[in-house]
Amino acid sequence: MAISFDGETWRKASLKYRGNEKYSWVKWHFNREADKGEYTILVRAADSEGNIQPIKPYWNRKGYGYNAVQKIKIQVE
């Protein structure tokens, strides 16, 4: 699991995986001091073979199999 604030530099986030929750969502954690303002956060995952999610999604009918980097904008006040 990695996180970026510019889309170029990626830093590792801590996974909060529980063995008894197989095939479920995995929580993650990342500490960062932030000044007031608007930020864009990008997150991506990697598998055990080192394959990472692409920045842009690959087209597929009806959107099944969407697997691109997730992006959200936040406002720190």
Side-chain angles (χ1 to χ4, degrees):
M1 176 69 197
I3 186 168
S4 177
F5 297 91
D6 62 9
E8 300 290 326
T9 307
W10 293 89
R11 297 174 57 193
K12 190 173 182 175
S14 301
L15 295 178
K16 303 294 182 185
Y17 176 75
R18 295 182 185 170
N20 63 343
E21 296 177 351
K22 195 171 184 179
Y23 307 116
S24 67
W25 291 98
V26 176
K27 296 177 183 178
W28 56 273
H29 178 82
F30 184 84
N31 279 335
R32 179 177 190 234
E33 293 285 329
D35 294 326
K36 291 182 180 181
E38 185 175 285
Y39 297 90
T40 300
I41 301 172
L42 297 95
V43 294
R44 71 179 182 195
D47 65 16
S48 59
E49 295 179 6
N51 299 304
I52 59 173
Q53 291 175 290
I55 294 292
K56 294 183 179 180
Y58 298 115
W59 182 90
N60 63 86
R61 189 177 179 113
K62 297 184 181 181
Y64 297 135
Y66 180 89
N67 191 32
V69 167
Q70 299 297 305
K71 179 170 40 171
I72 187 171
K73 288 188 178 191
I74 63 165
Q75 180 72 36
V76 176
E77 298 180 349

